[in-house]
Each structure stands twice: as C-alpha cells, then as structure tokens.
C-alpha cells in the first residue's frame, strides 16, 4: 500500500518509477556513440591497440562527457573480448563486474569530497594489490583540481612510478588548478565544447528512438542553443520539455517556451528592433509584456544576444527585422551593443537587484546615443576648437 502511494505521488509530479533521464539512458556504451570528441576517442583507441599510459587527464567544461568517456575507456581496458573497434563486449566477467557497479578493480572517487592526503594515501596503499579480474586496476578521480596540495604531492610518486597494472584517469573542469608536476606525468586529453549542429543531431537521434516529434528543426536548434556546448545541460533541457508535454509527443515552439520559461522569438525580435532603432516607448511596452509572462530577465538578455549574433553574422538574410544593417544603423554600432550586453550581463546576474539592473542595462542600449555623446550639446570640445578653421581673407 505504501509503495502504491509513493508511486502515485511520484507520477503526479511527472516522475515514474524506473524512469531514467536522457543523459543517463543515452550515455555512450561504444566509442562510435561518442559525439564530437573524435580526437580524444582516437587517442584512447590507439592506446587500447598498443599500450596505455599510466595516467590520463580529461579536461573540459562541465557536462561535456569527460567522466562518461573515462568510464568507457576503463571498461574497454579491462574487457577480455573487445571487438575490432576496441569496444567492450559487455558480456565477459570483467564487463559484467563493471556494469554491476561493485567492481573492486575500477574505483571512482569524487575529488571534491575526498581531497585530503589521507584519502590519497589509501589509494596508494590499495593500488599495489593485483586486480581480481582482468589486467588493470583503474582509479577514476573526478574534479581532481579540488585535491589539496598535500594530496597532490602524495599522488606524485605513484604517478611517476605506478605498478604495471595501475592506471589513473583524472577529470577536471579547471586544468589550470592542477599542479604542473601532475600535468607533466599525464597524457592530457582536451575536450571541446559541442557545436549547435552536434547537439541538434544528438537530440534528433534520441527523439527518433523515443518516438518524439518536433514541429520544426528550429525548435531543436533552440534547445541546442540553450545547452551552450554541454551535452548534459542540453539533454536536461530536452528532458524538461518532454516531461512538460506528457503524453503529447509533438513539441512546438509554444510548448518549448512554456516548459523552459523562454521568450518567444517574435518578442525577442521586437525588443532587438526597439534597441537598434532607439525606440524607448516600444521597448518599455515590449519588456513589460515579457515581465508579465514571468520570463526571467537573464533569459530576455540572452535571447537578444543570440538574435543579435545571428544578425551580425548574416545581416542580409534576416528578413523578419524592421531595420537594415548598414542602412538604418551602422554595423559597428551593433558590434558595440553586442559587446556591452555580454559584459553587463555577467555583472547583472551577480547584482543585488539583478531584475532592475537588467532593465537598466537594456534601457542604456536603447539610449546609447545619448549616453555616449556629451550631455551639453552646446559645449564644444577642445578638439573641435583646435580643428576650427578661420575663413580665408582675400
């Protein structure tokens, strides 16, 4: 009875028992499934075909697949029956041992919560024991930059002279915080952020398998833009939209906006036009309309920045704008607006009253010509006085 009650509550909030979020359900199980990191995959497959290093550092932004690929590499290293592409078979004792999550030969550690020298000494003591199954004993240390200096120093000797069966896979979002002496002992694998095209392709693939349809490719691209190069963030947004739709498997722009609290493209285009043409009256009404819809201020600014970037890159192809770049205003002026919005947004989010600050930032863009020129129109600058040429007397 209690279980049924709990399941009913979970279902009411959109979470069903046994449900897996897309970032976990569609985690790559083969090297061919890894998206956008071909250079890293190639290095790892070459290592599997020859002899692996004793330490690898996976470096890149959050949600880019560092730990996922480290786990896949660890599984392949220990697999007893790899295929011709070095993928783990998933059926041998070493693979099954890994898949249960209870392997004694693959130890995963969170560097943020296990960052003391005592934690590292425990690793150093255990690594000398031979693996129970397979050829290697592997330590995956996530967020390795969080280790203390004393912990790093304790790890150095083992990284320099590890036992033949010992391999370290280190992952970090802040490589610059890792000691140089540690970096010099690792094979460094630098991840790149995913492109919008790669993220859109991933969403399309998952949607096809999950029997989810999109009204247009533009809706897919919007989700990909929101992910900002992160696979995990992108799939989290996708999950959120799918949860919002419920049984309806068709996702359109309206559903996307409601689920994620993002402004409509038309509303953003309108605001950009008011900024470009310094139209304060229509800017205020357009902004207030988005406020009434409870759209987060940073979402509004981010939408304007993204739209402006599109205009700056393809001004001749933007047909839904009421102004023409190069005719109604200068291209350089839009470049300045783009730069200032990016700078000011970082400041606004950390401000005490960021909602008011965001509005003032956008209003400043609308009134930029007044802000940038001298307040007193009758005042003549020294430069202008110097360049004044007296009339020539005949």
């Amino acid at each position: 009875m209690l279980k049924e009650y709990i399941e009913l509550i979970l279902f009411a909030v959109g979470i069903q028992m046994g449900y897996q979020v897309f970032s976990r359900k569609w985690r790559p199980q083969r090297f061919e499934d890894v998206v956008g990191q071909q250079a890293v995959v190639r290095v790892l497959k070459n290592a599997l075909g020859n002899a692996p290093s004793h330490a690898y550092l996976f470096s890149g932004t959050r949600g880019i697949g560092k730990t996922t690929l480290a786990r896949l590499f660890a599984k392949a290293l220990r697999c007893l029956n790899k295929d011709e592409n070095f993928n783990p078979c998933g059926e041998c004792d070493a693979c099954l041992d890994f898949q249960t999550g209870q392997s004694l030969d693959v130890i995963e550690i969170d560097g943020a919560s296990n960052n003391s020298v005592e934690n590292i000494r425990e690793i150093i003591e255990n690594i000398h024991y031979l693996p129970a199954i397979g050829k290697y004993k592997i330590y995956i240390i996530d967020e390795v930059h969080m280790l203390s200096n004393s912990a790093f120093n304790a790890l150095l000797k083992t990284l320099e002279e590890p036992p033949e069966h010992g391999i370290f896979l280190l992952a970090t979002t802040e490589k610059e915080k890792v000691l140089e002496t540690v970096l010099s002992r690792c094979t460094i694998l630098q991840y790149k952020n995913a492109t919008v095209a790669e993220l859109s392709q991933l969403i399309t693939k998952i949607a096809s398998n999950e029997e989810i349809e999109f009204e247009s490719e533009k809706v897919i691209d919007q989700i990909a833009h929101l992910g900002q190069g992160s696979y995990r963030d992108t799939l989290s947004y996708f999950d959120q939209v799918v949860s919002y739709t419920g049984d309806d498997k068709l996702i359109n722009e309206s559903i996307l906006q409601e689920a994620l609290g993002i402004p409509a493209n038309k509303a953003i285009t309108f605001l950009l036009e008011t900024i470009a043409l310094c139209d304060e009256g229509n800017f205020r009404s357009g902004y207030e309309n988005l406020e009434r819809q409870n759209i987060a201020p940073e979402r509004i600014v981010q939408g304007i920045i993204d739209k402006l970037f599109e205009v700056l890159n393809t001004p001749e192809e933007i047909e839904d704008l009421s102004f023409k770049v190069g005719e109604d205003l200068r291209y350089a002026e839009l470049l300045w607006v783009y730069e200032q919005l990016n700078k000011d947004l970082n400041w606004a989010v950390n401000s005490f009253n960021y909602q008011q600050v965001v509005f003032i930032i956008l209003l400043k863009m609308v009134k930029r010509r007044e802000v940038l020129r001298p307040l007193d129109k009758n005042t003549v600058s020294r430069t202008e006085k110097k360049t004044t040429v007296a009339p020539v007397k005949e």
Side-chain angles (χ1 to χ4, degrees):
M1 182 69 182
L2 180 60
K3 182 181 177 182
E4 293 175 357
Y5 182 68
I6 292 172
E7 287 183 355
L8 182 62
I9 293 174
L10 291 173
F11 183 80
V13 296
I15 304 173
Q16 300 180 27
M17 298 296 283
Y19 176 77
Q20 270 192 313
V21 295
F22 289 151
S23 58
R24 295 190 64 186
K25 184 177 181 180
W26 293 98
R27 180 174 286 163
Q29 301 299 318
R30 296 160 50 86
F31 289 112
E32 290 77 17
D33 299 332
V34 177
V35 178
Q37 306 297 338
Q38 287 79 9
V40 176
V41 169
R42 183 172 181 175
V43 171
L44 297 180
K45 290 175 75 172
N46 286 340
L48 290 166
N50 298 291
S53 300
H54 286 291
Y56 292 84
L57 181 77
F58 298 77
S59 176
T61 54
R62 64 184 177 82
I64 203 68
K66 301 182 298 298
T67 309
T68 294
L69 195 44
R71 289 173 183 150
L72 178 56
F73 183 49
K75 186 178 179 181
L77 279 169
R78 298 180 61 254
C79 178
L80 305 177
N81 300 302
K82 289 184 281 291
D83 67 16
E84 66 277 5
N85 292 315
F86 304 104
N87 291 300
C89 68
E91 298 177 355
C92 68
D93 289 342
C95 285
L96 294 174
D97 180 48
F98 178 87
Q99 287 162 196
T100 60
Q102 299 176 351
S103 175
L104 297 175
D105 299 326
V106 181
I107 299 93
E108 191 167 340
I109 299 163
D110 175 22
S113 54
N114 298 277
N115 57 5
S116 69
V117 66
E118 288 77 16
N119 298 130
I120 297 302
R121 282 176 180 160
E122 186 177 345
I123 293 174
I124 294 168
E125 290 172 4
N126 290 334
I127 199 171
H128 292 286
Y129 294 105
L130 292 172
I133 303 174
K135 191 176 179 181
Y136 299 106
K137 176 170 281 191
I138 302 167
Y139 287 86
I140 301 173
I141 306 180
D142 198 12
E143 300 298 339
V144 70
H145 64 273
M146 297 292 286
L147 295 183
S148 64
N149 283 342
S150 56
F152 271 129
N153 289 326
L155 187 60
L156 274 177
K157 183 66 175 175
T158 305
L159 285 177
E160 191 171 25
E161 298 177 5
E164 287 297 318
H165 61 268
I167 292 180
F168 287 91
L169 306 180
L170 315 177
T172 180
T173 53
E174 300 182 56
K175 186 179 70 175
E176 65 279 2
K177 291 186 178 180
V178 180
L179 293 183
E180 287 292 337
T181 46
V182 172
L183 294 177
S184 65
R185 289 164 171 79
C186 297
T187 298
I188 299 175
L189 302 173
Q190 185 64 49
Y191 282 62
K192 63 176 184 177
N193 282 5
T195 64
V196 171
E198 288 169 342
L199 293 173
S200 296
Q201 184 180 359
L202 179 62
I203 294 169
T204 302
K205 177 184 176 182
I206 293 174
S208 176
N209 283 279
E210 296 285 342
E211 298 182 349
I212 297 168
E213 295 182 5
F214 286 91
E215 187 179 58
S216 67
E217 291 184 5
K218 190 175 182 179
V219 179
I220 299 174
D221 289 343
Q222 280 185 280
I223 299 175
H225 270 292
L226 289 170
Q228 295 186 331
S230 168
Y231 299 105
R232 185 173 62 225
D233 289 357
T234 299
L235 294 184
S236 293
Y237 285 125
F238 186 20
D239 252 314
Q240 190 174 334
V241 174
V242 172
S243 298
Y244 182 84
T245 60
D247 294 332
D248 187 0
K249 294 292 185 178
L250 177 64
I251 299 172
N252 56 33
E253 189 174 356
S254 177
I255 288 173
L256 180 68
Q257 290 156 11
E258 291 174 13
L260 301 180
I262 59 177
N265 185 57
K266 288 183 179 178
I268 289 298
T269 300
F270 178 78
L271 273 186
L272 177 58
E273 289 172 345
T274 64
I275 291 172
L277 301 175
C278 301
D279 185 351
E280 183 179 347
N282 279 319
F283 163 75
R284 286 181 178 273
S285 62
Y287 189 86
E288 288 168 5
N289 184 47
L290 289 177
E291 279 191 318
R292 285 193 292 271
Q293 296 175 41
N294 204 28
I295 304 295
E298 64 271 23
R299 290 281 199 205
I300 299 173
V301 180
Q302 190 60 59
I304 293 172
I305 288 172
D306 290 341
K307 186 68 175 179
L308 185 51
F309 182 80
E310 187 181 352
V311 171
L312 289 168
N313 278 276
T314 54
E316 69 284 352
E317 296 178 14
I318 307 299
E319 298 177 356
D320 55 343
L321 297 175
S322 63
F323 65 90
K324 299 296 180 184
V325 180
E327 296 177 15
D328 294 320
L329 78 166
R330 292 176 300 167
Y331 187 85
E333 194 174 347
L334 286 182
L335 286 174
W336 182 87
V337 171
Y338 180 83
E339 179 185 5
Q340 288 299 124
L341 283 178
N342 274 285
K343 287 180 180 178
D344 289 347
L345 181 58
N346 290 328
W347 161 64
V349 171
N350 296 314
S351 298
F352 178 71
N353 194 337
Y354 81 96
Q355 292 162 313
Q356 292 180 3
V357 171
V358 166
F359 174 76
I360 293 299
I361 286 170
L362 292 174
L363 184 61
K364 183 178 75 173
M365 296 299 104
V366 176
K367 302 174 75 69
R368 62 190 176 279
R369 292 171 184 170
E370 295 178 37
V371 172
L372 294 175
R373 73 182 178 215
L375 295 177
D376 186 357
K377 298 178 182 179
N378 297 319
T379 302
V380 181
S381 69
R382 294 181 181 179
T383 305
E384 289 173 327
K385 287 180 180 179
K386 288 180 181 180
T387 56
T388 300
V389 179
V392 178
K393 294 182 180 179
E394 295 183 0

